[in-house]
Amino acid sequence: MRKAFTLLLATLLVAGCGIVYRQPVFQGNLLESRNVEQLQVGLTRGQVFSLLGSPAVSDPFHQSRWDYVATARRRTGDTEIKNLTLWFEGDALARWEGEYFPEADNELAVEMRRFGNIARDKDKPRRPPPGG
């Protein structure tokens, strides 16, 4: 009984100190700034699809609206939600509004390299260790 209590207490202390790693999670459409900046009134649905990809939400009752939704949950804090909405008139882009995570894929890759979760390119030469 005493060992179980000690183990439980140690587990709670480690979990409470933030030592337990929580991986950041990005879901949805991670859009690149250079693609969103190319949006202009009059683009066809096909052209928008080529720039941004398929929308996360495609409502059959509102076919003139595309929603690009993305969420981000960091190691600590609440989940952040961003939504970029595009409206079409016929086949032409009429307007858009909202937010997105610019360059979130690059930011996530840099963050993961810090923790060593990104596989290294086998063809890339490795740097010698410091001092050697």
Side-chain angles (χ1 to χ4, degrees), residues 65-110:
R65 175 180 165 162
W66 286 4
D67 290 296
Y68 291 87
V69 181
T71 62
R73 182 183 56 98
R74 300 284 181 180
R75 293 181 58 197
T76 59
D78 294 331
T79 301
E80 187 179 358
I81 302 170
K82 296 205 178 187
N83 186 23
L84 179 67
T85 304
L86 285 67
W87 286 272
F88 293 89
E89 290 178 2
D91 191 42
L93 181 62
R95 63 186 173 98
W96 62 92
E97 67 180 41
E99 299 179 309
Y100 62 100
F101 293 105
E103 312 307 330
D105 50 350
N106 294 334
E107 180 183 326
L108 183 60
V110 167

mmCIF file of all heavy atoms in Angstrom, residues 65-110:
data_model
loop_
_atom_site.group_PDB
_atom_site.id
_atom_site.type_symbol
_atom_site.label_atom_id
_atom_site.label_comp_id
_atom_site.label_asym_id
_atom_site.label_seq_id
_atom_site.Cartn_x
_atom_site.Cartn_y
_atom_site.Cartn_z
ATOM 1 N N ARG A 65 -20.658 29.100 -50.553
ATOM 2 C CA ARG A 65 -19.751 29.450 -49.449
ATOM 3 C C ARG A 65 -18.790 28.300 -49.178
ATOM 4 O O ARG A 65 -19.202 27.152 -49.070
ATOM 5 C CB ARG A 65 -20.595 29.737 -48.205
ATOM 6 C CG ARG A 65 -19.808 29.981 -46.977
ATOM 7 C CD ARG A 65 -20.723 30.253 -45.819
ATOM 8 N NE ARG A 65 -19.984 30.140 -44.575
ATOM 9 C CZ ARG A 65 -20.393 30.629 -43.442
ATOM 10 N NH1 ARG A 65 -21.552 31.260 -43.372
ATOM 11 N NH2 ARG A 65 -19.673 30.489 -42.360
ATOM 12 N N TRP A 66 -17.512 28.637 -49.092
ATOM 13 C CA TRP A 66 -16.486 27.666 -48.707
ATOM 14 C C TRP A 66 -15.842 28.132 -47.411
ATOM 15 O O TRP A 66 -15.477 29.299 -47.286
ATOM 16 C CB TRP A 66 -15.403 27.549 -49.775
ATOM 17 C CG TRP A 66 -15.804 26.804 -51.012
ATOM 18 C CD1 TRP A 66 -17.028 26.303 -51.316
ATOM 19 C CD2 TRP A 66 -14.958 26.497 -52.110
ATOM 20 N NE1 TRP A 66 -17.001 25.706 -52.547
ATOM 21 C CE2 TRP A 66 -15.734 25.807 -53.057
ATOM 22 C CE3 TRP A 66 -13.629 26.740 -52.394
ATOM 23 C CZ2 TRP A 66 -15.213 25.353 -54.256
ATOM 24 C CZ3 TRP A 66 -13.109 26.295 -53.599
ATOM 25 C CH2 TRP A 66 -13.895 25.598 -54.514
ATOM 26 N N ASP A 67 -15.677 27.219 -46.460
ATOM 27 C CA ASP A 67 -15.041 27.534 -45.184
ATOM 28 C C ASP A 67 -13.766 26.729 -45.032
ATOM 29 O O ASP A 67 -13.781 25.500 -45.109
ATOM 30 C CB ASP A 67 -15.977 27.209 -44.019
ATOM 31 C CG ASP A 67 -17.153 28.155 -43.941
ATOM 32 O OD1 ASP A 67 -16.905 29.337 -43.719
ATOM 33 O OD2 ASP A 67 -18.303 27.701 -44.112
ATOM 34 N N TYR A 68 -12.675 27.435 -44.804
ATOM 35 C CA TYR A 68 -11.382 26.821 -44.521
ATOM 36 C C TYR A 68 -11.141 26.988 -43.018
ATOM 37 O O TYR A 68 -10.865 28.094 -42.551
ATOM 38 C CB TYR A 68 -10.266 27.481 -45.338
ATOM 39 C CG TYR A 68 -10.382 27.185 -46.812
ATOM 40 C CD1 TYR A 68 -11.160 27.976 -47.645
ATOM 41 C CD2 TYR A 68 -9.722 26.096 -47.361
ATOM 42 C CE1 TYR A 68 -11.276 27.697 -48.992
ATOM 43 C CE2 TYR A 68 -9.826 25.808 -48.712
ATOM 44 C CZ TYR A 68 -10.606 26.614 -49.522
ATOM 45 O OH TYR A 68 -10.726 26.326 -50.859
ATOM 46 N N VAL A 69 -11.297 25.915 -42.282
ATOM 47 C CA VAL A 69 -11.213 25.946 -40.826
ATOM 48 C C VAL A 69 -9.934 25.250 -40.380
ATOM 49 O O VAL A 69 -9.572 24.201 -40.911
ATOM 50 C CB VAL A 69 -12.436 25.236 -40.200
ATOM 51 C CG1 VAL A 69 -12.372 25.288 -38.682
ATOM 52 C CG2 VAL A 69 -13.725 25.856 -40.703
ATOM 53 N N ALA A 70 -9.269 25.836 -39.390
ATOM 54 C CA ALA A 70 -8.070 25.224 -38.826
ATOM 55 C C ALA A 70 -8.062 25.445 -37.317
ATOM 56 O O ALA A 70 -8.527 26.472 -36.827
ATOM 57 C CB ALA A 70 -6.808 25.816 -39.448
ATOM 58 N N THR A 71 -7.545 24.452 -36.598
ATOM 59 C CA THR A 71 -7.399 24.577 -35.155
ATOM 60 C C THR A 71 -5.960 24.285 -34.772
ATOM 61 O O THR A 71 -5.272 23.518 -35.435
ATOM 62 C CB THR A 71 -8.317 23.595 -34.396
ATOM 63 O OG1 THR A 71 -7.953 22.262 -34.724
ATOM 64 C CG2 THR A 71 -9.778 23.834 -34.733
ATOM 65 N N ALA A 72 -5.531 24.917 -33.693
ATOM 66 C CA ALA A 72 -4.183 24.692 -33.180
ATOM 67 C C ALA A 72 -4.255 24.555 -31.669
ATOM 68 O O ALA A 72 -4.869 25.379 -30.999
ATOM 69 C CB ALA A 72 -3.261 25.836 -33.551
ATOM 70 N N ARG A 73 -3.647 23.488 -31.168
ATOM 71 C CA ARG A 73 -3.533 23.307 -29.728
ATOM 72 C C ARG A 73 -2.065 23.162 -29.410
ATOM 73 O O ARG A 73 -1.397 22.261 -29.888
ATOM 74 C CB ARG A 73 -4.286 22.069 -29.249
ATOM 75 C CG ARG A 73 -4.223 21.898 -27.729
ATOM 76 C CD ARG A 73 -4.918 20.638 -27.296
ATOM 77 N NE ARG A 73 -4.371 19.480 -27.968
ATOM 78 C CZ ARG A 73 -3.464 18.664 -27.435
ATOM 79 N NH1 ARG A 73 -3.000 18.875 -26.235
ATOM 80 N NH2 ARG A 73 -3.013 17.637 -28.117
ATOM 81 N N ARG A 74 -1.568 24.089 -28.638
ATOM 82 C CA ARG A 74 -0.157 24.072 -28.239
ATOM 83 C C ARG A 74 0.000 23.207 -26.997
ATOM 84 O O ARG A 74 -0.961 22.689 -26.459
ATOM 85 C CB ARG A 74 0.332 25.495 -27.942
ATOM 86 C CG ARG A 74 0.223 26.417 -29.109
ATOM 87 C CD ARG A 74 1.311 26.120 -30.048
ATOM 88 N NE ARG A 74 1.231 27.031 -31.189
ATOM 89 C CZ ARG A 74 2.063 26.986 -32.161
ATOM 90 N NH1 ARG A 74 3.030 26.112 -32.173
ATOM 91 N NH2 ARG A 74 1.946 27.800 -33.176
ATOM 92 N N ARG A 75 1.223 23.121 -26.523
ATOM 93 C CA ARG A 75 1.501 22.326 -25.327
ATOM 94 C C ARG A 75 0.673 22.799 -24.140
ATOM 95 O O ARG A 75 0.224 22.006 -23.336
ATOM 96 C CB ARG A 75 2.985 22.397 -24.995
ATOM 97 C CG ARG A 75 3.836 21.705 -26.037
ATOM 98 C CD ARG A 75 5.282 21.751 -25.712
ATOM 99 N NE ARG A 75 5.517 21.137 -24.410
ATOM 100 C CZ ARG A 75 6.617 21.313 -23.704
ATOM 101 N NH1 ARG A 75 7.562 22.077 -24.157
ATOM 102 N NH2 ARG A 75 6.757 20.727 -22.557
ATOM 103 N N THR A 76 0.495 24.092 -24.012
ATOM 104 C CA THR A 76 -0.320 24.639 -22.937
ATOM 105 C C THR A 76 -1.334 25.589 -23.540
ATOM 106 O O THR A 76 -1.155 26.109 -24.626
ATOM 107 C CB THR A 76 0.547 25.411 -21.920
ATOM 108 O OG1 THR A 76 1.227 26.458 -22.603
ATOM 109 C CG2 THR A 76 1.562 24.500 -21.257
ATOM 110 N N GLY A 77 -2.402 25.831 -22.843
ATOM 111 C CA GLY A 77 -3.386 26.791 -23.316
ATOM 112 C C GLY A 77 -4.551 26.138 -24.023
ATOM 113 O O GLY A 77 -4.621 24.917 -24.195
ATOM 114 N N ASP A 78 -5.477 26.981 -24.441
ATOM 115 C CA ASP A 78 -6.690 26.518 -25.091
ATOM 116 C C ASP A 78 -6.462 26.298 -26.579
ATOM 117 O O ASP A 78 -5.486 26.761 -27.151
ATOM 118 C CB ASP A 78 -7.803 27.553 -24.914
ATOM 119 C CG ASP A 78 -8.225 27.695 -23.457
ATOM 120 O OD1 ASP A 78 -8.111 26.704 -22.721
ATOM 121 O OD2 ASP A 78 -8.662 28.790 -23.070
ATOM 122 N N THR A 79 -7.397 25.619 -27.191
ATOM 123 C CA THR A 79 -7.362 25.399 -28.632
ATOM 124 C C THR A 79 -7.760 26.690 -29.338
ATOM 125 O O THR A 79 -8.742 27.330 -28.981
ATOM 126 C CB THR A 79 -8.336 24.276 -29.019
ATOM 127 O OG1 THR A 79 -7.956 23.087 -28.329
ATOM 128 C CG2 THR A 79 -8.326 24.020 -30.513
ATOM 129 N N GLU A 80 -6.967 27.073 -30.329
ATOM 130 C CA GLU A 80 -7.226 28.282 -31.116
ATOM 131 C C GLU A 80 -7.870 27.866 -32.441
ATOM 132 O O GLU A 80 -7.400 26.958 -33.097
ATOM 133 C CB GLU A 80 -5.901 29.004 -31.361
ATOM 134 C CG GLU A 80 -6.047 30.339 -31.999
ATOM 135 C CD GLU A 80 -4.703 31.028 -32.186
ATOM 136 O OE1 GLU A 80 -3.668 30.473 -31.793
ATOM 137 O OE2 GLU A 80 -4.708 32.127 -32.744
ATOM 138 N N ILE A 81 -8.955 28.540 -32.804
ATOM 139 C CA ILE A 81 -9.698 28.206 -34.021
ATOM 140 C C ILE A 81 -9.699 29.413 -34.946
ATOM 141 O O ILE A 81 -9.969 30.533 -34.511
ATOM 142 C CB ILE A 81 -11.151 27.812 -33.697
ATOM 143 C CG1 ILE A 81 -11.173 26.620 -32.744
ATOM 144 C CG2 ILE A 81 -11.915 27.496 -34.976
ATOM 145 C CD1 ILE A 81 -12.540 26.312 -32.193
ATOM 146 N N LYS A 82 -9.377 29.170 -36.214
ATOM 147 C CA LYS A 82 -9.417 30.245 -37.218
ATOM 148 C C LYS A 82 -10.231 29.753 -38.413
ATOM 149 O O LYS A 82 -10.147 28.596 -38.798
ATOM 150 C CB LYS A 82 -8.018 30.639 -37.649
ATOM 151 C CG LYS A 82 -7.228 31.233 -36.487
ATOM 152 C CD LYS A 82 -6.143 32.129 -36.928
ATOM 153 C CE LYS A 82 -5.451 32.698 -35.703
ATOM 154 N NZ LYS A 82 -4.492 33.684 -36.035
ATOM 155 N N ASN A 83 -10.975 30.677 -39.007
ATOM 156 C CA ASN A 83 -11.863 30.339 -40.103
ATOM 157 C C ASN A 83 -11.726 31.385 -41.208
ATOM 158 O O ASN A 83 -11.887 32.575 -40.954
ATOM 159 C CB ASN A 83 -13.310 30.285 -39.590
ATOM 160 C CG ASN A 83 -14.275 29.794 -40.627
ATOM 161 O OD1 ASN A 83 -13.891 29.117 -41.566
ATOM 162 N ND2 ASN A 83 -15.533 30.137 -40.467
ATOM 163 N N LEU A 84 -11.418 30.941 -42.407
ATOM 164 C CA LEU A 84 -11.378 31.802 -43.591
ATOM 165 C C LEU A 84 -12.560 31.397 -44.465
ATOM 166 O O LEU A 84 -12.656 30.233 -44.874
ATOM 167 C CB LEU A 84 -10.061 31.630 -44.353
ATOM 168 C CG LEU A 84 -9.912 32.458 -45.619
ATOM 169 C CD1 LEU A 84 -9.834 33.947 -45.285
ATOM 170 C CD2 LEU A 84 -8.679 32.035 -46.398
ATOM 171 N N THR A 85 -13.469 32.327 -44.704
ATOM 172 C CA THR A 85 -14.693 32.045 -45.454
ATOM 173 C C THR A 85 -14.654 32.763 -46.794
ATOM 174 O O THR A 85 -14.320 33.942 -46.857
ATOM 175 C CB THR A 85 -15.933 32.496 -44.660
ATOM 176 O OG1 THR A 85 -15.914 31.856 -43.384
ATOM 177 C CG2 THR A 85 -17.207 32.116 -45.381
ATOM 178 N N LEU A 86 -14.981 32.016 -47.850
ATOM 179 C CA LEU A 86 -15.038 32.568 -49.208
ATOM 180 C C LEU A 86 -16.458 32.439 -49.734
ATOM 181 O O LEU A 86 -17.111 31.408 -49.521
ATOM 182 C CB LEU A 86 -14.101 31.805 -50.142
ATOM 183 C CG LEU A 86 -12.602 32.058 -50.038
ATOM 184 C CD1 LEU A 86 -12.026 31.572 -48.738
ATOM 185 C CD2 LEU A 86 -11.886 31.407 -51.190
ATOM 186 N N TRP A 87 -16.950 33.495 -50.419
ATOM 187 C CA TRP A 87 -18.267 33.473 -51.025
ATOM 188 C C TRP A 87 -18.135 33.589 -52.530
ATOM 189 O O TRP A 87 -17.326 34.374 -53.036
ATOM 190 C CB TRP A 87 -19.119 34.635 -50.505
ATOM 191 C CG TRP A 87 -19.610 34.432 -49.103
ATOM 192 C CD1 TRP A 87 -20.760 33.809 -48.716
ATOM 193 C CD2 TRP A 87 -18.970 34.867 -47.907
ATOM 194 N NE1 TRP A 87 -20.865 33.832 -47.348
ATOM 195 C CE2 TRP A 87 -19.778 34.475 -46.829
ATOM 196 C CE3 TRP A 87 -17.786 35.548 -47.637
ATOM 197 C CZ2 TRP A 87 -19.464 34.734 -45.509
ATOM 198 C CZ3 TRP A 87 -17.453 35.803 -46.322
ATOM 199 C CH2 TRP A 87 -18.287 35.407 -45.274
ATOM 200 N N PHE A 88 -18.948 32.817 -53.231
ATOM 201 C CA PHE A 88 -18.962 32.810 -54.691
ATOM 202 C C PHE A 88 -20.314 33.299 -55.185
ATOM 203 O O PHE A 88 -21.341 33.072 -54.547
ATOM 204 C CB PHE A 88 -18.727 31.389 -55.222
ATOM 205 C CG PHE A 88 -17.357 30.849 -54.934
ATOM 206 C CD1 PHE A 88 -17.093 30.160 -53.758
ATOM 207 C CD2 PHE A 88 -16.328 31.022 -55.840
ATOM 208 C CE1 PHE A 88 -15.832 29.670 -53.488
ATOM 209 C CE2 PHE A 88 -15.062 30.531 -55.584
ATOM 210 C CZ PHE A 88 -14.820 29.849 -54.402
ATOM 211 N N GLU A 89 -20.288 33.970 -56.320
ATOM 212 C CA GLU A 89 -21.507 34.306 -57.056
ATOM 213 C C GLU A 89 -21.398 33.580 -58.376
ATOM 214 O O GLU A 89 -20.574 33.938 -59.219
ATOM 215 C CB GLU A 89 -21.629 35.813 -57.246
ATOM 216 C CG GLU A 89 -21.920 36.553 -55.959
ATOM 217 C CD GLU A 89 -22.000 38.061 -56.142
ATOM 218 O OE1 GLU A 89 -21.864 38.541 -57.297
ATOM 219 O OE2 GLU A 89 -22.175 38.752 -55.133
ATOM 220 N N GLY A 90 -22.211 32.551 -58.530
ATOM 221 C CA GLY A 90 -22.063 31.671 -59.683
ATOM 222 C C GLY A 90 -20.775 30.879 -59.527
ATOM 223 O O GLY A 90 -20.576 30.196 -58.530
ATOM 224 N N ASP A 91 -19.872 31.005 -60.484
ATOM 225 C CA ASP A 91 -18.589 30.301 -60.423
ATOM 226 C C ASP A 91 -17.437 31.236 -60.065
ATOM 227 O O ASP A 91 -16.292 30.833 -60.017
ATOM 228 C CB ASP A 91 -18.310 29.625 -61.776
ATOM 229 C CG ASP A 91 -17.135 28.667 -61.708
ATOM 230 O OD1 ASP A 91 -17.036 27.922 -60.714
ATOM 231 O OD2 ASP A 91 -16.302 28.687 -62.640
ATOM 232 N N ALA A 92 -17.756 32.522 -59.766
ATOM 233 C CA ALA A 92 -16.703 33.513 -59.533
ATOM 234 C C ALA A 92 -16.628 33.890 -58.048
ATOM 235 O O ALA A 92 -17.651 34.049 -57.380
ATOM 236 C CB ALA A 92 -16.965 34.763 -60.360
ATOM 237 N N LEU A 93 -15.396 34.036 -57.563
ATOM 238 C CA LEU A 93 -15.175 34.463 -56.185
ATOM 239 C C LEU A 93 -15.655 35.897 -56.017
ATOM 240 O O LEU A 93 -15.251 36.788 -56.762
ATOM 241 C CB LEU A 93 -13.685 34.355 -55.840
ATOM 242 C CG LEU A 93 -13.276 34.745 -54.423
ATOM 243 C CD1 LEU A 93 -13.934 33.839 -53.386
ATOM 244 C CD2 LEU A 93 -11.755 34.678 -54.286
ATOM 245 N N ALA A 94 -16.530 36.134 -55.026
ATOM 246 C CA ALA A 94 -17.095 37.470 -54.811
ATOM 247 C C ALA A 94 -16.385 38.195 -53.666
ATOM 248 O O ALA A 94 -16.070 39.378 -53.786
ATOM 249 C CB ALA A 94 -18.585 37.368 -54.511
ATOM 250 N N ARG A 95 -16.119 37.489 -52.544
ATOM 251 C CA ARG A 95 -15.456 38.122 -51.408
ATOM 252 C C ARG A 95 -14.958 37.045 -50.463
ATOM 253 O O ARG A 95 -15.322 35.887 -50.581
ATOM 254 C CB ARG A 95 -16.384 39.085 -50.684
ATOM 255 C CG ARG A 95 -17.595 38.433 -50.060
ATOM 256 C CD ARG A 95 -18.553 39.487 -49.483
ATOM 257 N NE ARG A 95 -19.771 38.847 -49.044
ATOM 258 C CZ ARG A 95 -20.033 38.497 -47.787
ATOM 259 N NH1 ARG A 95 -19.149 38.745 -46.839
ATOM 260 N NH2 ARG A 95 -21.175 37.924 -47.468
ATOM 261 N N TRP A 96 -14.147 37.458 -49.497
ATOM 262 C CA TRP A 96 -13.653 36.547 -48.473
ATOM 263 C C TRP A 96 -13.352 37.331 -47.215
ATOM 264 O O TRP A 96 -13.113 38.540 -47.259
ATOM 265 C CB TRP A 96 -12.416 35.778 -48.953
ATOM 266 C CG TRP A 96 -11.241 36.643 -49.283
ATOM 267 C CD1 TRP A 96 -10.223 37.003 -48.456
ATOM 268 C CD2 TRP A 96 -10.967 37.278 -50.532
ATOM 269 N NE1 TRP A 96 -9.332 37.819 -49.111
ATOM 270 C CE2 TRP A 96 -9.774 38.008 -50.394
ATOM 271 C CE3 TRP A 96 -11.621 37.321 -51.751
ATOM 272 C CZ2 TRP A 96 -9.219 38.742 -51.420
ATOM 273 C CZ3 TRP A 96 -11.074 38.060 -52.775
ATOM 274 C CH2 TRP A 96 -9.885 38.752 -52.607
ATOM 275 N N GLU A 97 -13.392 36.646 -46.098
ATOM 276 C CA GLU A 97 -13.062 37.278 -44.821
ATOM 277 C C GLU A 97 -12.673 36.198 -43.820
ATOM 278 O O GLU A 97 -12.971 35.026 -44.010
ATOM 279 C CB GLU A 97 -14.234 38.099 -44.284
ATOM 280 C CG GLU A 97 -15.432 37.282 -43.872
ATOM 281 C CD GLU A 97 -16.568 38.143 -43.343
ATOM 282 O OE1 GLU A 97 -16.836 39.212 -43.902
ATOM 283 O OE2 GLU A 97 -17.189 37.706 -42.358
ATOM 284 N N GLY A 98 -11.989 36.612 -42.778
ATOM 285 C CA GLY A 98 -11.605 35.697 -41.718
ATOM 286 C C GLY A 98 -10.106 35.647 -41.525
ATOM 287 O O GLY A 98 -9.363 36.487 -42.031
ATOM 288 N N GLU A 99 -9.687 34.653 -40.777
ATOM 289 C CA GLU A 99 -8.287 34.484 -40.423
ATOM 290 C C GLU A 99 -7.820 33.080 -40.762
ATOM 291 O O GLU A 99 -8.625 32.176 -40.967
ATOM 292 C CB GLU A 99 -8.090 34.696 -38.920
ATOM 293 C CG GLU A 99 -8.458 36.068 -38.412
ATOM 294 C CD GLU A 99 -8.237 36.149 -36.921
ATOM 295 O OE1 GLU A 99 -8.726 35.264 -36.199
ATOM 296 O OE2 GLU A 99 -7.555 37.085 -36.501
ATOM 297 N N TYR A 100 -6.525 32.905 -40.771
ATOM 298 C CA TYR A 100 -5.918 31.598 -40.971
ATOM 299 C C TYR A 100 -4.578 31.602 -40.251
ATOM 300 O O TYR A 100 -4.132 32.625 -39.748
ATOM 301 C CB TYR A 100 -5.763 31.270 -42.464
ATOM 302 C CG TYR A 100 -4.863 32.224 -43.204
ATOM 303 C CD1 TYR A 100 -3.546 31.880 -43.476
ATOM 304 C CD2 TYR A 100 -5.316 33.465 -43.633
ATOM 305 C CE1 TYR A 100 -2.708 32.754 -44.152
ATOM 306 C CE2 TYR A 100 -4.485 34.341 -44.300
ATOM 307 C CZ TYR A 100 -3.188 33.980 -44.554
ATOM 308 O OH TYR A 100 -2.355 34.844 -45.215
ATOM 309 N N PHE A 101 -3.959 30.437 -40.157
ATOM 310 C CA PHE A 101 -2.640 30.330 -39.530
ATOM 311 C C PHE A 101 -1.596 30.455 -40.631
ATOM 312 O O PHE A 101 -1.312 29.477 -41.323
ATOM 313 C CB PHE A 101 -2.468 28.979 -38.832
ATOM 314 C CG PHE A 101 -3.363 28.786 -37.640
ATOM 315 C CD1 PHE A 101 -4.469 27.963 -37.708
ATOM 316 C CD2 PHE A 101 -3.080 29.423 -36.451
ATOM 317 C CE1 PHE A 101 -5.283 27.784 -36.612
ATOM 318 C CE2 PHE A 101 -3.894 29.253 -35.344
ATOM 319 C CZ PHE A 101 -4.999 28.430 -35.423
ATOM 320 N N PRO A 102 -1.015 31.653 -40.836
ATOM 321 C CA PRO A 102 -0.033 31.779 -41.913
ATOM 322 C C PRO A 102 1.239 31.011 -41.583
ATOM 323 O O PRO A 102 1.775 31.112 -40.478
ATOM 324 C CB PRO A 102 0.218 33.284 -41.986
ATOM 325 C CG PRO A 102 -0.143 33.799 -40.648
ATOM 326 C CD PRO A 102 -1.206 32.884 -40.106
ATOM 327 N N GLU A 103 1.667 30.228 -42.527
ATOM 328 C CA GLU A 103 2.919 29.476 -42.424
ATOM 329 C C GLU A 103 2.980 28.594 -41.184
ATOM 330 O O GLU A 103 4.044 28.376 -40.616
ATOM 331 C CB GLU A 103 4.136 30.421 -42.461
ATOM 332 C CG GLU A 103 4.106 31.451 -43.561
ATOM 333 C CD GLU A 103 3.884 30.894 -44.965
ATOM 334 O OE1 GLU A 103 4.284 29.753 -45.250
ATOM 335 O OE2 GLU A 103 3.290 31.598 -45.782
ATOM 336 N N ALA A 104 1.848 28.067 -40.742
ATOM 337 C CA ALA A 104 1.824 27.223 -39.548
ATOM 338 C C ALA A 104 2.586 25.924 -39.764
ATOM 339 O O ALA A 104 3.167 25.388 -38.823
ATOM 340 C CB ALA A 104 0.379 26.924 -39.155
ATOM 341 N N ASP A 105 2.606 25.417 -40.992
ATOM 342 C CA ASP A 105 3.336 24.177 -41.243
ATOM 343 C C ASP A 105 4.836 24.374 -41.028
ATOM 344 O O ASP A 105 5.508 23.520 -40.459
ATOM 345 C CB ASP A 105 3.039 23.615 -42.629
ATOM 346 C CG ASP A 105 3.176 24.640 -43.739
ATOM 347 O OD1 ASP A 105 3.308 25.841 -43.438
ATOM 348 O OD2 ASP A 105 3.145 24.235 -44.904
ATOM 349 N N ASN A 106 5.381 25.505 -41.454
ATOM 350 C CA ASN A 106 6.807 25.790 -41.223
ATOM 351 C C ASN A 106 7.091 25.981 -39.743
ATOM 352 O O ASN A 106 8.086 25.487 -39.212
ATOM 353 C CB ASN A 106 7.247 27.043 -41.990
ATOM 354 C CG ASN A 106 7.196 26.839 -43.487
ATOM 355 O OD1 ASN A 106 7.297 25.721 -43.964
ATOM 356 N ND2 ASN A 106 7.015 27.913 -44.219
ATOM 357 N N GLU A 107 6.207 26.700 -39.062
ATOM 358 C CA GLU A 107 6.361 26.941 -37.629
ATOM 359 C C GLU A 107 6.328 25.621 -36.855
ATOM 360 O O GLU A 107 7.122 25.401 -35.944
ATOM 361 C CB GLU A 107 5.229 27.853 -37.165
ATOM 362 C CG GLU A 107 5.237 28.192 -35.707
ATOM 363 C CD GLU A 107 4.036 29.049 -35.348
ATOM 364 O OE1 GLU A 107 3.598 29.871 -36.174
ATOM 365 O OE2 GLU A 107 3.532 28.882 -34.229
ATOM 366 N N LEU A 108 5.413 24.739 -37.237
ATOM 367 C CA LEU A 108 5.311 23.439 -36.577
ATOM 368 C C LEU A 108 6.561 22.602 -36.822
ATOM 369 O O LEU A 108 7.063 21.943 -35.909
ATOM 370 C CB LEU A 108 4.071 22.701 -37.073
ATOM 371 C CG LEU A 108 3.781 21.348 -36.436
ATOM 372 C CD1 LEU A 108 3.571 21.493 -34.942
ATOM 373 C CD2 LEU A 108 2.570 20.720 -37.081
ATOM 374 N N ALA A 109 7.097 22.633 -38.039
ATOM 375 C CA ALA A 109 8.310 21.870 -38.346
ATOM 376 C C ALA A 109 9.492 22.368 -37.518
ATOM 377 O O ALA A 109 10.270 21.566 -36.992
ATOM 378 C CB ALA A 109 8.635 21.967 -39.837
ATOM 379 N N VAL A 110 9.631 23.682 -37.367
ATOM 380 C CA VAL A 110 10.716 24.239 -36.553
ATOM 381 C C VAL A 110 10.548 23.817 -35.098
ATOM 382 O O VAL A 110 11.508 23.423 -34.435
ATOM 383 C CB VAL A 110 10.745 25.784 -36.689
ATOM 384 C CG1 VAL A 110 11.639 26.403 -35.637
ATOM 385 C CG2 VAL A 110 11.186 26.173 -38.077
#
